[in-house]
């Protein structure tokens, strides 16, 4: 609803439209409609999201959608681009909750590729450390990352 409202009220190139569309695409993928999420991301890309302030979030959603579509290489590239485009914050060592979360997405994506299992394990450990430092050890997001288990190696 938010995406449609922003699209109608503010147009296809407004930052609020981009932000709502990016969130919707990820939610679609997580609910079993990854192909619909991909179509929405393609539309956002056509409207310039990659050069907007929502670009890093766009690449996170692109990684999530690609992951749910089983497209590991595309998912990895998008996750790495999301991290690259994340601005450091004033947190210790420039870390931010966005970097912790995006590193966690990268670990999940790397785990899709048997040849990258060791990278996935290292990246997951990095994401957990970032989460402990930025959220604290008792935060729900930290607990989610601590509880996450990489899929069994194939």
């Amino acid at each position: 609803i938010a995406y449609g409202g922003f699209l109608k009220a503010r147009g296809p190139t407004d930052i609020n439209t981009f932000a709502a569309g990016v969130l919707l695409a990820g939610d679609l993928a997580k609910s079993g409609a990854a192909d619909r999420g991909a179509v929405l991301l393609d539309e956002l890309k056509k409207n310039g999201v990659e050069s907007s302030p929502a670009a890093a979030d766009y690449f996170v959603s692109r990684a999530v959608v690609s992951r749910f579509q089983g497209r590991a290489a595309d998912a990895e590239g998008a996750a790495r681009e999301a991290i690259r485009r994340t601005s450091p914050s004033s947190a210790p060592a420039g870390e931010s909750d966005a970097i912790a979360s995006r590193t966690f997405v990268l670990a999940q994506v790397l785990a899709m590729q048997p040849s990258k299992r060791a990278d996935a394990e290292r990246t997951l450990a990095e994401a957990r450390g970032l989460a402990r430092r930025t959220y604290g050890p008792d935060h729900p997001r930290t607990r989610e990352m601590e509880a996450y288990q990489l899929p069994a190696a194939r």
Side-chain angles (χ1 to χ4, degrees):
I1 295 173
Y3 172 70
F6 283 123
L7 182 62
K8 184 177 180 181
R10 299 187 176 215
T13 60
D14 181 79
I15 183 61
N16 296 295
T17 303
F18 286 152
V22 161
L23 289 173
L24 177 58
D27 288 345
L28 286 167
K30 293 172 188 173
S31 67
D35 290 343
R36 287 181 55 207
V39 169
L40 176 54
L41 289 174
D42 290 345
E43 188 67 25
L44 293 171
K45 181 178 179 179
K46 186 172 69 175
N47 290 328
V49 71
E50 288 181 317
S51 60
S52 80
D57 292 330
Y58 162 81
F59 283 103
V60 171
S61 285
R62 180 63 75 182
V64 169
V65 167
S66 296
R67 177 177 160 235
F68 279 92
Q69 290 179 314
R71 295 177 22 235
D74 292 340
E76 180 183 348
R80 290 187 186 283
E81 185 65 15
I83 292 167
R84 190 183 73 74
R85 290 188 184 220
T86 300
S87 298
S89 73
S90 59
E95 296 167 359
S96 73
D97 58 345
I99 292 172
S101 294
R102 291 167 185 174
T103 302
F104 184 54
V105 169
L106 178 59
Q108 293 171 318
V109 166
L110 290 169
M112 296 173 67
Q113 304 169 76
S115 66
K116 297 193 176 184
R117 177 73 182 197
D119 289 341
E121 290 170 355
R122 279 190 297 278
T123 303
L124 180 58
E126 178 184 352
R128 288 172 173 161
L130 289 166
R132 284 190 295 274
R133 288 189 300 277
T134 57
Y135 299 123
D138 296 323
H139 191 279
R141 189 72 171 139
T142 302
R143 287 195 302 256
E144 175 191 1
M145 290 184 204
E146 295 288 354
Y148 179 78
Q149 298 295 314
L150 293 174
R154 296 186 276 160

